[in-house]
Amino acid sequence: MSTYAAPLKDMQFVIEELVGLADITAMPVCSEVTADLVEAVLGEAGKFAAEVLDPLNRIGDRQGAQLANGKVTPPAGFAAAYKQFTEAGWNSLSGPTDFGGQGLPHIVAMAVQEMWNSANMAFCLCPMLTSGVIEALKLRGSPEQKKLFMGKLVTGEWSGTMNLTEPQAGSDLSAVRTQARPEGDHFRIKGTKIFITWGEHDMSQNIVHLVLARTPDAPEGVKGISLFIVPKFALNADGSPGGRNDVKCVSIEHKMGIHASPTCVMAYGEGEGAIGYMIGAENRGLETMFIMMNHARLGVGLEGVALAERAYQHALDYARTRVQGRAIGQKSGDRVTIINHPDVRRMLLTMKSQVEAMRALAYTASAALDKAHHHPDEAERKRNQAYVDLLIPIVKGWCTEQSIDVASTGMQIHGGMGFIEETGAAQYLRDARITAIYEGTTGIQAADLVGRKIGYEKGATAAVVIAQMRATAKALAGHAHADIAAQHAAFVRAVDALAAATQWVVDTFPKDPNAVAAVSVPYLKLWGIVAGGWLMARAAGIASVKLAAGGDPEFCKTKIATARFYIEHILPQAPALAEEVTGGAASVLAMSDAQF
Amino acid sequence: MKVLVGVKRVVDPNVKVRVKADGSGVETANIKMAINPFCEIAVEQAVRMKEAGIVTEILVVTVGLPQCQETLRTAMAMGADRGILVETDVDVQPLAVAKVMKAIIAKENPQLVIMGKQAVDNDCNQTGQMVAALMGWPQATHISKVEPAGDHAEVTREVDGGLETLTIKLPAVVTADLRLNEPRYVTLPNIMKAKKKPLEVIKPDALGVDVTPRLTTLKVVEPAKRGSGVKLADVAELVNKLKNEAKVI
């Protein structure tokens, strides 16, 4: 079994050099976030992830969360780890400073969360959902609600959940039926919610459920849904947890992965109705949910990066130790470790190069989010918001789909042993599979991309990003480093493919949205691959400058070689995908339902 | 009571150490560095004594490159109050460090000096002993327990074949062994606070200490690779090989 080691060098390179920590630090609210502070935080988080969370990952997978008599018990060691996690202050990393949080920028939280997810994604889901509730309170909470809930959620003494889905309301939330009846200063909630992650457990002292529900005279559809806070233990007058609220977990799901994370069916109001407090304006709940969901989608995209990284480390460890066969062309002599076999090297590089491209893309979106929130100049804030809005469905859709591929390749490197659970490679594949489904499936991400993010604005933001890619392409041509200059033609072909497909989407969307929807997922994948290639090319350029200036030679040379592999092995998919986008819609729509 | 803790920046124990191509030492450029594990235990002990109300102030001291400030920040994130870096690019040896420590002790007047029993890079296990000798103070090395009481401290030392309990007069130097405690995980708020704690940087010259090495490293090599074993027919052949090939009997 491999042990997790946080990829600190690559994380720091991406944060400091590629997305530019200096730009973040230049913003007044982030002035304390110096490179040495980031290094200290990442270093300690890496240690905690490796020593506390990673060893529990397998135990969590094998034991799973257990439900008995309405109580959910997490796997052995999880409660103690949660206590250690919150006591060490990690839950408060990006929380607001006026409620005891450390107020660190999103980009730092991003790297730290990647570590938690790599080490133990099932565990990490609990604090991740808590931060979603904190975000909702920050956005729409009344001063009184903030005072009651925020402090405890920031420390992690209380945890949070999101209650959207109902049996008949999955991707289509307009079908939500849970009822909220006003009663004095609160509401009584009745209904059933499913797929509630960490909906019930005893690691925290209270659980703050965010619940979508309808008030009695709410209009039909999405414009009649409000958002409520429903604590597991109703609050006493002084804000401390009192008696049990009328909400309970009635069952937990048997899942393919993330076994340690209880996925609950929650019953609200089997008795007199659960006490809930409306957050934000009546009938505007979905709006708040969507702002939060943007964060959450970036977070799930990051889960893809994290699992891919962990699967790579696991496969690399095996490839370095497993001895099998002689080197090609050798009839005698010592047998070699499988990392010496060209096809295994190719698989390892497929994993490594995509992990780095995915990390670069996810962190780029995160830095843009910081600038969209904190930049002193309003035009810059707007520009970055548009950028991050475009990137989020790509990060979520592409990084999660690729994490499944990467984890599957990791299993392949193990050969037959990979199919055996004891080896540990299978868990990463099983855990990765959900990331492309929850918080909006890849299809939903692609619909968001071609509709809200490209179609409605006629590709304006996309054009800006493509222009930046062309600027990078120009810098590649005639680059002093031969390995980088050689990538120019392939990179230009890929950007041309993206530009042509984008033009087709912009032209076709107003007159035939069905055709665009039919090829939206390959279009999203095209974006991911080309954007990843763009950032890898830029990373190689930066690495060559650093190399010439006496930077870490091993890291810089590895980065340049990895970028070259990506451009030669991954990027050639771009023209093929563009062809599928621009010419493939008709055949999707050609058959009648009966012909399937 | 004021405590002074000496700490050293070393190659992270989880990193595989490589010998430099020219054999002049081990590679430290672009390698992950960390606080020496025994020094970390020494800091932890001081912090626990402060939490117990025995210690009022913890000063951490290190000698070396500017990057050693990170090591002091780690110690301060664990709970030390302030740090001093005696900055030099000389590859300092135990005697030089002990002299620096002596100069700082003279300025700061701590009642107790805690150091790691040795650093995991070159395993010297000398600096604590030298500091005690230069100060003319009692020393207790390889300790697994220390309990100050008034003008003395009761310590337990890990010695061959058991534990030795001693009473030493303060001020004194003690060096930490593995079982003294288990260091805590640094908390995030404390990492942030450590950034604001005072950290003084001075040069050895300002202390009147000459840190020039007294020993010369001739060559550093990796241990020889172990060859594959052979199966022997009988004891006679084994004795023969030990006598004539290995030349050990």
Side-chain angles (χ1 to χ4, degrees), chain A residues 250-277:
Chain A
V250 290
S251 74
I252 60 175
E253 310 290 351
H254 298 281
K255 311 186 293 291
M256 177 181 180
I258 51 168
H259 291 158
S261 155
T263 303
C264 304
V265 175
M266 302 297 293
Y268 288 86
E270 286 194 329
E272 70 280 22
I275 295 171
Y277 309 95

PDB file of all heavy atoms in Angstrom, chain A residues 250-277:
ATOM      1  N   VAL A 250     -33.878   7.831   8.134  1.00  0.00           N
ATOM      2  CA  VAL A 250     -34.627   6.571   8.144  1.00  0.00           C
ATOM      3  C   VAL A 250     -33.888   5.444   7.436  1.00  0.00           C
ATOM      4  O   VAL A 250     -34.182   4.272   7.664  1.00  0.00           O
ATOM      5  CB  VAL A 250     -36.054   6.737   7.567  1.00  0.00           C
ATOM      6  CG1 VAL A 250     -36.905   7.549   8.532  1.00  0.00           C
ATOM      7  CG2 VAL A 250     -36.040   7.403   6.198  1.00  0.00           C
ATOM      8  N   SER A 251     -32.952   5.771   6.562  1.00  0.00           N
ATOM      9  CA  SER A 251     -32.109   4.708   6.004  1.00  0.00           C
ATOM     10  C   SER A 251     -30.866   5.326   5.390  1.00  0.00           C
ATOM     11  O   SER A 251     -30.809   6.537   5.165  1.00  0.00           O
ATOM     12  CB  SER A 251     -32.866   3.887   4.951  1.00  0.00           C
ATOM     13  OG  SER A 251     -33.002   4.622   3.752  1.00  0.00           O
ATOM     14  N   ILE A 252     -29.849   4.500   5.177  1.00  0.00           N
ATOM     15  CA  ILE A 252     -28.673   4.973   4.441  1.00  0.00           C
ATOM     16  C   ILE A 252     -28.465   4.064   3.233  1.00  0.00           C
ATOM     17  O   ILE A 252     -28.836   2.892   3.253  1.00  0.00           O
ATOM     18  CB  ILE A 252     -27.399   5.072   5.320  1.00  0.00           C
ATOM     19  CG1 ILE A 252     -27.009   3.735   5.924  1.00  0.00           C
ATOM     20  CG2 ILE A 252     -27.557   6.109   6.401  1.00  0.00           C
ATOM     21  CD1 ILE A 252     -25.691   3.781   6.692  1.00  0.00           C
ATOM     22  N   GLU A 253     -27.893   4.643   2.187  1.00  0.00           N
ATOM     23  CA  GLU A 253     -27.785   3.925   0.915  1.00  0.00           C
ATOM     24  C   GLU A 253     -26.569   2.992   0.892  1.00  0.00           C
ATOM     25  O   GLU A 253     -25.547   3.273   1.520  1.00  0.00           O
ATOM     26  CB  GLU A 253     -27.646   4.927  -0.249  1.00  0.00           C
ATOM     27  CG  GLU A 253     -28.679   6.040  -0.260  1.00  0.00           C
ATOM     28  CD  GLU A 253     -30.080   5.556  -0.603  1.00  0.00           C
ATOM     29  OE1 GLU A 253     -30.239   4.382  -1.007  1.00  0.00           O
ATOM     30  OE2 GLU A 253     -31.030   6.355  -0.460  1.00  0.00           O
ATOM     31  N   HIS A 254     -26.715   1.895   0.140  1.00  0.00           N
ATOM     32  CA  HIS A 254     -25.563   1.030  -0.153  1.00  0.00           C
ATOM     33  C   HIS A 254     -24.983   1.510  -1.468  1.00  0.00           C
ATOM     34  O   HIS A 254     -25.652   1.460  -2.493  1.00  0.00           O
ATOM     35  CB  HIS A 254     -25.995  -0.424  -0.261  1.00  0.00           C
ATOM     36  CG  HIS A 254     -26.580  -0.929   1.003  1.00  0.00           C
ATOM     37  ND1 HIS A 254     -25.818  -1.323   2.076  1.00  0.00           N
ATOM     38  CD2 HIS A 254     -27.867  -1.060   1.386  1.00  0.00           C
ATOM     39  CE1 HIS A 254     -26.607  -1.676   3.071  1.00  0.00           C
ATOM     40  NE2 HIS A 254     -27.850  -1.522   2.677  1.00  0.00           N
ATOM     41  N   LYS A 255     -23.761   1.991  -1.453  1.00  0.00           N
ATOM     42  CA  LYS A 255     -23.225   2.662  -2.633  1.00  0.00           C
ATOM     43  C   LYS A 255     -21.995   1.950  -3.193  1.00  0.00           C
ATOM     44  O   LYS A 255     -21.380   1.117  -2.549  1.00  0.00           O
ATOM     45  CB  LYS A 255     -22.822   4.106  -2.285  1.00  0.00           C
ATOM     46  CG  LYS A 255     -23.888   4.897  -1.539  1.00  0.00           C
ATOM     47  CD  LYS A 255     -23.491   6.344  -1.360  1.00  0.00           C
ATOM     48  CE  LYS A 255     -22.307   6.577  -0.445  1.00  0.00           C
ATOM     49  NZ  LYS A 255     -22.541   6.290   0.963  1.00  0.00           N
ATOM     50  N   MET A 256     -21.635   2.366  -4.403  1.00  0.00           N
ATOM     51  CA  MET A 256     -20.449   1.835  -5.072  1.00  0.00           C
ATOM     52  C   MET A 256     -19.167   2.332  -4.391  1.00  0.00           C
ATOM     53  O   MET A 256     -18.184   1.600  -4.316  1.00  0.00           O
ATOM     54  CB  MET A 256     -20.463   2.313  -6.523  1.00  0.00           C
ATOM     55  CG  MET A 256     -19.263   1.903  -7.322  1.00  0.00           C
ATOM     56  SD  MET A 256     -19.431   2.581  -9.003  1.00  0.00           S
ATOM     57  CE  MET A 256     -17.927   1.962  -9.748  1.00  0.00           C
ATOM     58  N   GLY A 257     -19.188   3.559  -3.914  1.00  0.00           N
ATOM     59  CA  GLY A 257     -17.981   4.130  -3.303  1.00  0.00           C
ATOM     60  C   GLY A 257     -18.325   5.053  -2.154  1.00  0.00           C
ATOM     61  O   GLY A 257     -19.459   5.033  -1.663  1.00  0.00           O
ATOM     62  N   ILE A 258     -17.352   5.856  -1.737  1.00  0.00           N
ATOM     63  CA  ILE A 258     -17.454   6.731  -0.547  1.00  0.00           C
ATOM     64  C   ILE A 258     -18.294   6.078   0.562  1.00  0.00           C
ATOM     65  O   ILE A 258     -19.218   6.676   1.095  1.00  0.00           O
ATOM     66  CB  ILE A 258     -17.937   8.171  -0.891  1.00  0.00           C
ATOM     67  CG1 ILE A 258     -19.206   8.193  -1.741  1.00  0.00           C
ATOM     68  CG2 ILE A 258     -16.840   8.972  -1.571  1.00  0.00           C
ATOM     69  CD1 ILE A 258     -19.853   9.600  -1.840  1.00  0.00           C
ATOM     70  N   HIS A 259     -17.895   4.852   0.910  1.00  0.00           N
ATOM     71  CA  HIS A 259     -18.655   4.075   1.895  1.00  0.00           C
ATOM     72  C   HIS A 259     -18.705   4.721   3.271  1.00  0.00           C
ATOM     73  O   HIS A 259     -19.656   4.536   4.017  1.00  0.00           O
ATOM     74  CB  HIS A 259     -18.054   2.677   2.029  1.00  0.00           C
ATOM     75  CG  HIS A 259     -18.259   1.838   0.805  1.00  0.00           C
ATOM     76  ND1 HIS A 259     -17.474   0.753   0.508  1.00  0.00           N
ATOM     77  CD2 HIS A 259     -19.135   1.939  -0.214  1.00  0.00           C
ATOM     78  CE1 HIS A 259     -17.879   0.207  -0.630  1.00  0.00           C
ATOM     79  NE2 HIS A 259     -18.883   0.928  -1.087  1.00  0.00           N
ATOM     80  N   ALA A 260     -17.627   5.422   3.619  1.00  0.00           N
ATOM     81  CA  ALA A 260     -17.565   5.981   4.973  1.00  0.00           C
ATOM     82  C   ALA A 260     -18.524   7.145   5.146  1.00  0.00           C
ATOM     83  O   ALA A 260     -18.870   7.509   6.265  1.00  0.00           O
ATOM     84  CB  ALA A 260     -16.142   6.435   5.287  1.00  0.00           C
ATOM     85  N   SER A 261     -18.936   7.752   4.044  1.00  0.00           N
ATOM     86  CA  SER A 261     -19.837   8.897   4.110  1.00  0.00           C
ATOM     87  C   SER A 261     -21.283   8.412   4.061  1.00  0.00           C
ATOM     88  O   SER A 261     -21.718   7.855   3.053  1.00  0.00           O
ATOM     89  CB  SER A 261     -19.528   9.825   2.936  1.00  0.00           C
ATOM     90  OG  SER A 261     -20.648  10.600   2.615  1.00  0.00           O
ATOM     91  N   PRO A 262     -22.033   8.611   5.157  1.00  0.00           N
ATOM     92  CA  PRO A 262     -23.415   8.134   5.160  1.00  0.00           C
ATOM     93  C   PRO A 262     -24.286   8.968   4.211  1.00  0.00           C
ATOM     94  O   PRO A 262     -24.329  10.185   4.331  1.00  0.00           O
ATOM     95  CB  PRO A 262     -23.867   8.316   6.615  1.00  0.00           C
ATOM     96  CG  PRO A 262     -22.954   9.343   7.194  1.00  0.00           C
ATOM     97  CD  PRO A 262     -21.664   9.261   6.436  1.00  0.00           C
ATOM     98  N   THR A 263     -24.934   8.314   3.261  1.00  0.00           N
ATOM     99  CA  THR A 263     -25.855   8.986   2.340  1.00  0.00           C
ATOM    100  C   THR A 263     -27.264   8.672   2.823  1.00  0.00           C
ATOM    101  O   THR A 263     -27.724   7.544   2.700  1.00  0.00           O
ATOM    102  CB  THR A 263     -25.635   8.474   0.911  1.00  0.00           C
ATOM    103  OG1 THR A 263     -24.265   8.701   0.573  1.00  0.00           O
ATOM    104  CG2 THR A 263     -26.526   9.193  -0.079  1.00  0.00           C
ATOM    105  N   CYS A 264     -27.917   9.683   3.392  1.00  0.00           N
ATOM    106  CA  CYS A 264     -29.113   9.421   4.200  1.00  0.00           C
ATOM    107  C   CYS A 264     -30.409   9.751   3.477  1.00  0.00           C
ATOM    108  O   CYS A 264     -30.474  10.681   2.683  1.00  0.00           O
ATOM    109  CB  CYS A 264     -29.046  10.255   5.473  1.00  0.00           C
ATOM    110  SG  CYS A 264     -27.551   9.975   6.429  1.00  0.00           S
ATOM    111  N   VAL A 265     -31.432   8.984   3.827  1.00  0.00           N
ATOM    112  CA  VAL A 265     -32.801   9.380   3.522  1.00  0.00           C
ATOM    113  C   VAL A 265     -33.298  10.080   4.782  1.00  0.00           C
ATOM    114  O   VAL A 265     -33.284   9.498   5.867  1.00  0.00           O
ATOM    115  CB  VAL A 265     -33.684   8.151   3.203  1.00  0.00           C
ATOM    116  CG1 VAL A 265     -35.135   8.582   3.015  1.00  0.00           C
ATOM    117  CG2 VAL A 265     -33.155   7.428   1.978  1.00  0.00           C
ATOM    118  N   MET A 266     -33.688  11.332   4.655  1.00  0.00           N
ATOM    119  CA  MET A 266     -34.075  12.117   5.824  1.00  0.00           C
ATOM    120  C   MET A 266     -35.584  12.336   5.819  1.00  0.00           C
ATOM    121  O   MET A 266     -36.152  12.788   4.815  1.00  0.00           O
ATOM    122  CB  MET A 266     -33.381  13.485   5.819  1.00  0.00           C
ATOM    123  CG  MET A 266     -31.853  13.434   5.789  1.00  0.00           C
ATOM    124  SD  MET A 266     -31.098  12.647   7.235  1.00  0.00           S
ATOM    125  CE  MET A 266     -31.509  13.825   8.515  1.00  0.00           C
ATOM    126  N   ALA A 267     -36.200  12.033   6.933  1.00  0.00           N
ATOM    127  CA  ALA A 267     -37.648  12.253   7.073  1.00  0.00           C
ATOM    128  C   ALA A 267     -37.864  13.479   7.946  1.00  0.00           C
ATOM    129  O   ALA A 267     -37.475  13.497   9.114  1.00  0.00           O
ATOM    130  CB  ALA A 267     -38.294  11.026   7.700  1.00  0.00           C
ATOM    131  N   TYR A 268     -38.464  14.494   7.362  1.00  0.00           N
ATOM    132  CA  TYR A 268     -38.790  15.723   8.108  1.00  0.00           C
ATOM    133  C   TYR A 268     -40.265  15.696   8.469  1.00  0.00           C
ATOM    134  O   TYR A 268     -41.107  15.431   7.604  1.00  0.00           O
ATOM    135  CB  TYR A 268     -38.498  16.953   7.240  1.00  0.00           C
ATOM    136  CG  TYR A 268     -37.020  17.215   7.043  1.00  0.00           C
ATOM    137  CD1 TYR A 268     -36.320  16.585   6.016  1.00  0.00           C
ATOM    138  CD2 TYR A 268     -36.337  18.062   7.899  1.00  0.00           C
ATOM    139  CE1 TYR A 268     -34.980  16.800   5.843  1.00  0.00           C
ATOM    140  CE2 TYR A 268     -34.981  18.292   7.732  1.00  0.00           C
ATOM    141  CZ  TYR A 268     -34.306  17.656   6.702  1.00  0.00           C
ATOM    142  OH  TYR A 268     -32.963  17.865   6.536  1.00  0.00           O
ATOM    143  N   GLY A 269     -40.548  15.987   9.722  1.00  0.00           N
ATOM    144  CA  GLY A 269     -41.934  16.194  10.136  1.00  0.00           C
ATOM    145  C   GLY A 269     -42.794  14.950  10.141  1.00  0.00           C
ATOM    146  O   GLY A 269     -43.924  14.984   9.695  1.00  0.00           O
ATOM    147  N   GLU A 270     -42.290  13.828  10.675  1.00  0.00           N
ATOM    148  CA  GLU A 270     -43.157  12.652  10.842  1.00  0.00           C
ATOM    149  C   GLU A 270     -44.130  12.900  11.978  1.00  0.00           C
ATOM    150  O   GLU A 270     -45.177  12.281  12.053  1.00  0.00           O
ATOM    151  CB  GLU A 270     -42.311  11.411  11.118  1.00  0.00           C
ATOM    152  CG  GLU A 270     -41.591  10.922   9.873  1.00  0.00           C
ATOM    153  CD  GLU A 270     -41.030   9.520  10.031  1.00  0.00           C
ATOM    154  OE1 GLU A 270     -40.665   9.147  11.163  1.00  0.00           O
ATOM    155  OE2 GLU A 270     -40.938   8.811   9.011  1.00  0.00           O
ATOM    156  N   GLY A 271     -43.782  13.828  12.875  1.00  0.00           N
ATOM    157  CA  GLY A 271     -44.672  14.221  13.967  1.00  0.00           C
ATOM    158  C   GLY A 271     -45.291  15.579  13.666  1.00  0.00           C
ATOM    159  O   GLY A 271     -45.969  15.761  12.658  1.00  0.00           O
ATOM    160  N   GLU A 272     -44.971  16.546  14.526  1.00  0.00           N
ATOM    161  CA  GLU A 272     -45.606  17.872  14.407  1.00  0.00           C
ATOM    162  C   GLU A 272     -44.946  18.750  13.343  1.00  0.00           C
ATOM    163  O   GLU A 272     -45.416  19.848  13.052  1.00  0.00           O
ATOM    164  CB  GLU A 272     -45.603  18.574  15.778  1.00  0.00           C
ATOM    165  CG  GLU A 272     -44.241  19.024  16.276  1.00  0.00           C
ATOM    166  CD  GLU A 272     -43.403  17.910  16.896  1.00  0.00           C
ATOM    167  OE1 GLU A 272     -43.645  16.696  16.601  1.00  0.00           O
ATOM    168  OE2 GLU A 272     -42.482  18.244  17.648  1.00  0.00           O
ATOM    169  N   GLY A 273     -43.878  18.288  12.734  1.00  0.00           N
ATOM    170  CA  GLY A 273     -43.165  19.096  11.738  1.00  0.00           C
ATOM    171  C   GLY A 273     -41.861  19.606  12.327  1.00  0.00           C
ATOM    172  O   GLY A 273     -41.818  20.004  13.492  1.00  0.00           O
ATOM    173  N   ALA A 274     -40.798  19.570  11.531  1.00  0.00           N
ATOM    174  CA  ALA A 274     -39.492  20.014  12.035  1.00  0.00           C
ATOM    175  C   ALA A 274     -39.441  21.539  12.051  1.00  0.00           C
ATOM    176  O   ALA A 274     -39.875  22.189  11.098  1.00  0.00           O
ATOM    177  CB  ALA A 274     -38.382  19.466  11.147  1.00  0.00           C
ATOM    178  N   ILE A 275     -38.879  22.091  13.137  1.00  0.00           N
ATOM    179  CA  ILE A 275     -38.760  23.547  13.240  1.00  0.00           C
ATOM    180  C   ILE A 275     -37.664  24.026  12.288  1.00  0.00           C
ATOM    181  O   ILE A 275     -36.539  23.523  12.310  1.00  0.00           O
ATOM    182  CB  ILE A 275     -38.417  23.965  14.691  1.00  0.00           C
ATOM    183  CG1 ILE A 275     -39.577  23.610  15.595  1.00  0.00           C
ATOM    184  CG2 ILE A 275     -38.095  25.456  14.773  1.00  0.00           C
ATOM    185  CD1 ILE A 275     -39.272  23.771  17.066  1.00  0.00           C
ATOM    186  N   GLY A 276     -38.033  24.978  11.419  1.00  0.00           N
ATOM    187  CA  GLY A 276     -37.066  25.513  10.460  1.00  0.00           C
ATOM    188  C   GLY A 276     -37.164  27.020  10.380  1.00  0.00           C
ATOM    189  O   GLY A 276     -38.194  27.611  10.742  1.00  0.00           O
ATOM    190  N   TYR A 277     -36.066  27.647   9.945  1.00  0.00           N
ATOM    191  CA  TYR A 277     -36.035  29.106   9.816  1.00  0.00           C
ATOM    192  C   TYR A 277     -35.740  29.442   8.364  1.00  0.00           C
ATOM    193  O   TYR A 277     -34.781  28.910   7.789  1.00  0.00           O
ATOM    194  CB  TYR A 277     -34.956  29.698  10.727  1.00  0.00           C
ATOM    195  CG  TYR A 277     -35.056  29.196  12.153  1.00  0.00           C
ATOM    196  CD1 TYR A 277     -34.287  28.110  12.571  1.00  0.00           C
ATOM    197  CD2 TYR A 277     -35.939  29.775  13.056  1.00  0.00           C
ATOM    198  CE1 TYR A 277     -34.382  27.617  13.871  1.00  0.00           C
ATOM    199  CE2 TYR A 277     -36.045  29.295  14.355  1.00  0.00           C
ATOM    200  CZ  TYR A 277     -35.267  28.216  14.758  1.00  0.00           C
ATOM    201  OH  TYR A 277     -35.371  27.727  16.031  1.00  0.00           O
TER     202      TYR A 277
END
